[in-house]
Amino acid sequence: MCESTFAMSYLFDPEVLGRIARAAIGQPLEDMVEQIAAELEREYPGHIRQDRRWVLNNAGGAMGMMTVLHASVTEYVIIFGSPIGTEGHTGRFWAEDYFYILEGEQWGYSETDPHKRVYKPGDCHILEQGVAEGYRMPDRCFALEYARGFIPAMLPFGLADTVFGTLDWRSFARTLQLYGKSTVKELAQGKV
């Protein structure tokens, strides 16, 4: 169960996201993504992106790919993962992050606990605000990821590896374009 101690008002409910994620498990990735997007559109009409473009993402030393389902100043919902595995630093944010495993495994550890935690399909890995961890996806792994808090403060972490490492300007531009268009759409609807 994913329960939060964060006390702000948000559009998305982590319990609803968890239910939607768990209901999609066991299908091919493309089918899971479409089912999740359709269910989210039913629950949150007008707040889910209709295109499913995948974008490469390098952050915290890890490389994966994502498709943005929703983005605003205070929340984002994406499908993130890798077909071949990856590992890195989660980042430390002014946001809470929920990672609902759809397929594969994610391993995690923190600076206060030197033991490996294993998250499997149906599990939710919560990264509390201000906490950082190391993580690994030892092989193919995809998850529905939901973050809530001050999302613009997460962008430097999400783009630094691209700017100072991969120099993949196409992925950089696509990420900013997807986030920017989604955020402007949400602001136009009165959603921060």
Side-chain angles (χ1 to χ4, degrees), residues 57-63 66 76 80 87-94 97 127 131-135 145 150-164 172 175-176:
N57 177 262
N58 293 82
M63 181 172 178
M66 66 178 175
Y76 73 71
F80 174 83
E87 86 178 284
H89 189 285
T90 61
R92 190 182 306 267
F93 306 112
W94 296 333
D97 190 271
L127 188 64
V131 173
E133 295 186 5
Y135 78 95
E145 182 177 358
F150 187 58
I151 303 305
M154 298 175 83
L155 291 175
F157 174 83
L159 296 170
D161 283 6
T162 300
V163 172
F164 298 107
F172 179 86
T175 300
L176 288 179

Side-chain angles (χ1 to χ4, degrees), residues 63-176:
M63 181 172 178
M65 57 195 303
M66 66 178 175
T67 185
V68 177
L69 301 176
H70 172 89
S72 69
V73 173
T74 58
E75 297 173 285
Y76 73 71
V77 179
I78 65 174
I79 304 289
F80 174 83
S82 168
I84 62 171
T86 191
E87 86 178 284
H89 189 285
T90 61
R92 190 182 306 267
F93 306 112
W94 296 333
E96 231 174 15
D97 190 271
Y98 298 79
F99 206 73
Y100 304 90
I101 306 299
L102 299 171
E103 64 178 14
E105 288 185 0
Q106 183 195 45
W107 301 347
Y109 66 93
S110 70
E111 58 199 356
T112 60
D113 182 4
H115 300 94
K116 175 174 76 173
R117 293 182 315 280
V118 178
Y119 302 92
K120 296 184 178 197
D123 292 343
C124 179
H125 180 183
I126 301 175
L127 188 64
E128 298 288 340
Q129 180 180 0
V131 173
E133 295 186 5
Y135 78 95
R136 182 175 185 190
M137 296 171 169
D139 201 344
R140 180 182 180 88
C141 180
F142 284 88
L144 174 65
E145 182 177 358
Y146 168 56
R148 63 188 193 177
F150 187 58
I151 303 305
M154 298 175 83
L155 291 175
F157 174 83
L159 296 170
D161 283 6
T162 300
V163 172
F164 298 107
T166 66
L167 305 178
D168 180 358
W169 302 115
R170 180 177 178 192
S171 292
F172 179 86
R174 288 177 74 193
T175 300
L176 288 179

Side-chain angles (χ1 to χ4, degrees), residues 15-30:
E15 294 300 323
V16 171
L17 292 170
R19 176 178 45 81
I20 289 171
R22 285 187 296 278
I25 291 172
Q27 303 177 63
L29 177 62
E30 296 78 10

